[in-house]
Amino acid sequence: QVHLVESGGGSAQAGGSLRISCEASGRTSSSNIMGWFRQTPGKEREFVAAIRRSDNETYYGDSVKGRFTISRDNAKNTVYLQMNRMKPEDAAVYYCAAKETVRGNFGSWGQGTQVTVSS
């Protein structure tokens, strides 16, 4: 099992930027794919972005393409989500997740970090 801890959540203004981080520890071999999801009350968890360790290939949800960038520092076992041109609808609890393979399910989750966006 890999342990994930998010940090960097907070408030941003619409049109502004925020970066959140997620550090993995423990069985980091289970974190070949690391990703971000978000959730607001009453809604299903939404895929935001993911990145593959081997070649840094990235994947994005349609609602964030062109605005958010996911990156990772393998030496630090840390993944980042840079959020630019933020919108009020980006406000959510953001969760970090990890899995071993592209086709597998995300089996490890962080506790979440709150992001608010003021208009």
Side-chain angles (χ1 to χ4, degrees):
Q1 188 85 8
V2 60
H3 184 57
L4 303 172
V5 178
E6 301 98 335
S7 61
S11 299
Q13 288 192 332
S17 300
L18 196 65
R19 188 177 82 158
I20 55 178
S21 305
C22 173
E23 182 176 0
S25 61
R27 190 169 177 260
T28 55
S29 60
S30 297
S31 63
N32 291 327
I33 311 294
M34 292 184 71
W36 290 97
F37 290 75
R38 64 187 184 187
Q39 190 169 25
T40 54
K43 292 188 177 181
E44 292 189 359
R45 192 167 292 188
E46 177 190 9
F47 170 74
V48 176
I51 186 167
R52 187 163 63 189
R53 176 196 297 269
S54 59
D55 58 4
N56 283 332
E57 181 167 356
T58 56
Y59 312 84
Y60 292 96
D62 289 340
S63 62
V64 306
K65 282 180 181 177
R67 300 187 299 118
F68 290 10
T69 302
I70 188 170
S71 61
R72 67 188 295 167
D73 183 335
N74 291 332
K76 296 181 179 179
N77 291 315
T78 299
V79 64
Y80 306 95
L81 185 68
Q82 178 67 43
M83 301 180 284
N84 297 330
R85 292 187 282 132
M86 296 185 72
K87 304 175 181 180
E89 52 263 42
D90 292 325
V93 177
Y94 282 71
Y95 295 92
C96 179
K99 60 179 179 176
E100 289 193 49
T101 64
V102 172
R103 294 183 179 181
N105 295 321
F106 283 97
S108 299
W109 295 86
Q111 81 287 351
T113 186
Q114 180 73 53
V115 171
T116 59
V117 183
S118 58
S119 55

